[in-house]
Every structure is written in C-alpha cells, then in structure tokens.
C-alpha cells in the first residue's frame, strides 16, 4: 500500500517488486502505467471498503485470504507453463522466513490502520517511512543523501504532523498502527536487498524473479497469518459474523486478492516498459487521485487546513521522488 522505491524494490500495499528481465513490448508504456495506477488505487479503496463500509473486524483474515488467492493463481500459472517460479526448498525458506515475518507485520498493521484512518491521511503518513528508511540507510549502510532529499523528508514530517493535528476524524489507535506500519515497512526495505542476494545463492537457477518472490512471500505468510488470526481472537468473530454468509462480501474480498496480485504484475510490466525513474515519479503522482477518491467515496469530513496539509504532503512526496532521481543520476 503504498509508492516507495528502494534500489529497484517497490514497497507499495506491502508487495515486493524486483526489476524484471522481460522483453520490452513497444508502445505499451501508457497502457502499463494506467494498469498499474488503476490496480494500486483500487486495491487500497477496496480494502478500505471491506474494513470500514462492511465494518469487517478481521484484518488478519482479510490479508490471509488475499495472499491465499495470490498463491493459488501464481501456482496455477506456473503449472500451465505461463510463468516460471523457483521451487520452495527448505534452504530458501530458511533464508526468507525472517524478512517474511516483517512482511506479514507490514501488511497487518496496514490493514489495521486503514480501518481507522481515512485513505488520504494514510497516504500522507506513509511518507514517514521514507524518513525512517533514509535515517536507517545513513546509520546502517553509511549512505548519505543530498540536501534536496533531506528537505523533501523534512516537508514530509511537517505535512504528517500538521495533517494529524487538523484531522477531523483523528483516531489514536489508527495512528498508532500506522506508525508501527512505517517502522515495519522501513525495516522490510532495509533488510530486503541483502535477503534477496542471499536467497539467489540457494535457488536452483541462481536467480529469484518477481513471480517466485510473490509465491514465496505469500505462501510463507499463510501459516503465520493463521497463528496470528487465532492470537487476535478473529476465529470467534469469523464464526459469528453474518458477513461470511453473504456471496457479495466474498466477491469483494476475492476482488481485493486479485487486485493485490495485479499490482505485482502491472508494476513489473510498467517498470520494464519505462524504467525506475518514471515508475517512481508516477507512483508518487498516483497518490493524488487516490487521496481525492478516498475523501469523496467515503465522505470523509475535512477542513481547509487538513486538505492543505494533505496536499502539502502529496507534493512533498513528488519532490522527494524527483530529489532521489537526481541523487541517483
């Protein structure tokens, strides 16, 4: 949930995106960009609809079902020979399991925060992840950023604080979950690259493509998600809620799972058709229509001050993306 790129890895909505090696299809950049924007926006809006409009109080189960849908589809495509995936060996699972624990925590905290906070504020608060990641890179990897990057990060902090102060629907529980999500997302970003390099050494082909990572992350998340669902006492809720007896509710949940997988495919497609620079900038710009749609569709009470804070945060995200582009170049 979310558009953040770290060394070619995008962490939006909690999904792993590695740079693909597919052959470019000419004149597909616009179509791939639209597909990526629509799928990423729709995923967040559908999740918000399930959690808030349906008042569904089992965010872990929602994550579990979405990942289960992804596993089934990826395995089916692999069996049909349409995609290639690495076998899930015990050595590969041992290497990947620690980062998968962070991945599951990232998805769950995202679900919990989205239930209590409006989409626009979630989008702005996720910018704090960039700040934590930049500080982590500086202390852990001795990576230094130029002044324009730090200026953009400072603007993100200002927008998050001012947005929280002026939020008419402020919810302390939701903000706490979102802060936890920012730290987990940053941790995932900081540990993922090294884990990927180690994982490639224990695969049969010596590589780990996008489809293999989707299958690996989602498969390992199933038993862990099931344990957490019991721990958070969601099983009793699921047994008693009438929502699970509604076919329409299952259709919406299945749609959310399909959209989650669509983000992985469309982001890979778009990244290959354009490149990391355009991909990162479009991801930042995509937050603007998402925030507007979240306010309009869910009738979020807002004020001029809060709207200005949200806009300020979205602009800060674009400034950050451009500053990172210049830094890399």
């Amino acid at each position: 949930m979310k558009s953040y790129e770290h060394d070619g890895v995008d962490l939006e909505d909690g999904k792993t995106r590695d740079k693909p090696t597919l052959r470019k299809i000419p004149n597909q950049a616009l179509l791939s960009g639209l597909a990526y924007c629509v799928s990423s926006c729709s995923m967040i809006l559908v999740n918000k609809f399930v959690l808030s409009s349906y008042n569904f109080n089992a965010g872990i189960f929602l994550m579990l079902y979405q990942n289960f849908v992804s596993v089934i589809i990826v395995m089916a495509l692999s069996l049909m020979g349409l995609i290639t995936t690495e076998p899930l060996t015990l050595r590969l699972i041992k290497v990947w399991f620690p980062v998968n624990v962070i991945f599951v925590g990232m998805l769950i905290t995202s679900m919990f925060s989205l239930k209590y906070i409006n989409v626009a504020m979630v989008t702005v608060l996720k910018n704090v992840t960039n700040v934590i990641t930049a500080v982590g890179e500086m202390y852990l990897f001795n990576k230094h950023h130029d002044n324009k990057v730090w200026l953009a990060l400072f603007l993100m902090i200002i927008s998050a604080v001012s947005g929280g102060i002026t939020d008419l629907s402020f919810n302390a529980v939701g903000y706490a979950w979102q802060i936890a999500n920012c730290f987990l997302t940053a941790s995932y970003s900081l540990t993922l690259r090294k884990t990927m390099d180690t994982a490639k050494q224990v695969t049969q082909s010596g590589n780990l493509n996008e489809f293999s990572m989707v299958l690996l992350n989602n498969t390992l998340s199933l038993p862990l998600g099931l344990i957490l669902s019991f721990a958070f006492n969601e099983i009793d809720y699921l047994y008693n809620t009438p929502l699970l007896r509604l076919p329409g509710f299952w259709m919406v949940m299945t749609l959310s799972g399909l959209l989650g997988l669509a983000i992985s495919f469309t982001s890979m497609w778009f990244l290959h058709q354009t490149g990391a620079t355009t991909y990162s900038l479009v991801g930042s710009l995509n937050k603007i229509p998402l925030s507007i749609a979240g306010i309009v569709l869910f009738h979020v009470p807002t004020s001029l001050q809060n709207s200005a804070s949200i806009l300020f945060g979205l602009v800060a995200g674009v400034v950050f993306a451009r500053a990172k582009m210049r830094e890399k170049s």
Side-chain angles (χ1 to χ4, degrees), residues 224-297:
L224 186 56
L226 190 60
I227 293 172
L228 290 173
S229 189
F230 274 101
F232 278 78
N233 201 31
E234 287 189 352
I235 302 302
D236 289 339
Y237 169 79
L238 293 171
Y239 181 77
N240 294 312
T241 181
L243 290 174
L244 297 186
R245 293 188 286 273
L246 299 176
F249 180 73
W250 282 103
M251 291 178 62
V252 174
M253 283 215 306
T254 303
L255 174 63
S256 68
L258 294 174
L259 287 171
L261 186 60
I263 293 175
S264 296
F265 287 118
T266 57
S267 62
M268 180 179 64
W269 182 24
F270 182 45
L271 180 59
H272 184 68
Q273 293 298 322
T274 56
T277 299
T278 303
Y279 176 80
S280 179
L281 183 59
V282 170
S284 298
L285 292 171
N286 194 37
K287 294 180 179 180
I288 297 176
L290 172 62
S291 299
I292 296 173
I295 292 174
V296 173
L297 293 177

Side-chain angles (χ1 to χ4, degrees), residues 196-213:
M196 287 172 58
D197 293 337
T198 305
K200 290 176 182 179
Q201 299 174 9
V202 299
T203 59
Q204 293 183 359
S205 67
N207 194 17
L208 193 66
N209 62 22
E210 164 73 13
F211 307 113
S212 297
M213 284 188 288

Side-chain angles (χ1 to χ4, degrees), residues 42 44-58 62 111-119 237 241-243 246 248-249 252-253 293-300:
S42 300
I44 297 177
L45 295 174
V46 170
N47 279 344
K48 179 65 175 177
F49 180 70
V50 172
L51 295 169
S52 297
S53 298
Y54 273 109
N55 196 27
F56 187 59
N57 295 318
L62 178 59
M111 291 289 188
F112 287 166
S113 66
L114 192 60
K115 179 174 177 59
Y116 298 106
I117 310 177
N118 68 74
V119 173
Y237 169 79
T241 181
L243 290 174
L246 299 176
F249 180 73
V252 174
M253 283 215 306
I295 292 174
V296 173
L297 293 177
F298 297 101
H299 308 289
V300 177

Side-chain angles (χ1 to χ4, degrees), residues 75-125:
M75 290 183 65
L77 294 175
S78 180
L79 290 174
M80 288 187 290
L82 299 177
I83 61 174
T84 57
T85 57
E86 292 292 330
L88 301 186
T89 62
L90 183 60
R91 292 181 64 193
L92 181 58
I93 291 174
K94 285 181 178 180
V95 170
W96 200 266
F97 183 74
V99 77
N100 184 258
V101 173
I102 303 175
F103 171 77
V104 171
M106 182 176 68
L107 293 185
I108 291 174
T109 52
S110 178
M111 291 289 188
F112 287 166
S113 66
L114 192 60
K115 179 174 177 59
Y116 298 106
I117 310 177
N118 68 74
V119 173
M121 277 309 304
V122 166
T123 303
V124 171
L125 291 172

